[in-house]
Amino acid sequence: MDNLHYILQIRLAKEEIFFGPGVRTLLKLTNEYDSLNAACKQMNLSYTKALRMIKGAEKNLGFKLLERKIGGLGGGGSSLTQKCIEFLEKYEAYENEVKNKATEIFDEYFNEYL
């Protein structure tokens, strides 16, 4: 039997949503594989859509998220900028704090149904 629970996703927006779980996963996988293309394959996401997501986030945040190396003999690749790494750390810390508070509030309101 499933327990009653909540689902909370943190998304950042200006006029439109530009950063959330999808972009975060894309960046983390890009970091893991040193390749945006490899991250796209893991997510079953087109490279074009991934670039659009990255460029949208970069535009709204006002800084570059990725350093891209053009292919050649050694091949290309992508790595996270230092500012991107710092931003991801803050995003995840904020998300964890919000989820911890949300869990407290959820338990307060729905404890009798758990």
Side-chain angles (χ1 to χ4, degrees):
M1 184 169 178
D2 291 330
N3 289 334
L4 182 65
H5 64 283
Y6 68 94
I7 297 171
L8 179 67
Q9 294 182 329
I10 304 297
R11 300 180 190 284
L12 304 178
K14 287 192 175 177
E15 286 192 22
E16 294 182 10
I17 295 169
F18 67 88
F19 195 92
V23 179
R24 177 193 37 202
T25 300
L26 182 61
L27 290 170
K28 287 180 119 7
L29 287 170
T30 298
N31 190 50
E32 182 179 334
Y33 293 105
D34 290 321
S35 167
L36 180 60
N37 194 35
C40 292
K41 288 178 181 169
Q42 283 294 312
M43 293 179 71
N44 205 18
L45 183 68
S46 80
Y47 188 79
T48 305
K49 181 167 183 173
L51 271 181
R52 212 171 32 247
M53 290 164 64
I54 296 295
K55 289 190 180 298
E58 288 176 337
K59 179 182 174 210
N60 280 284
L61 291 169
F63 58 86
K64 285 177 59 171
L65 297 173
L66 297 179
E67 293 291 343
R68 297 172 191 92
K69 292 184 295 185
I70 304 300
L73 274 178
S78 296
S79 59
L80 305 186
T81 63
Q82 186 58 42
K83 202 139 171 110
C84 177
I85 292 167
E86 292 166 6
F87 177 80
L88 278 175
E89 287 171 355
K90 288 181 180 183
Y91 175 86
E92 290 176 343
Y94 172 72
E95 180 180 53
N96 288 334
E97 191 169 338
V98 168
K99 285 184 176 180
N100 288 337
K101 296 286 186 200
T103 297
E104 288 175 25
I105 296 167
F106 179 83
D107 290 346
E108 180 182 322
Y109 281 89
F110 297 101
N111 191 38
E112 67 183 279
Y113 305 107
L114 301 177

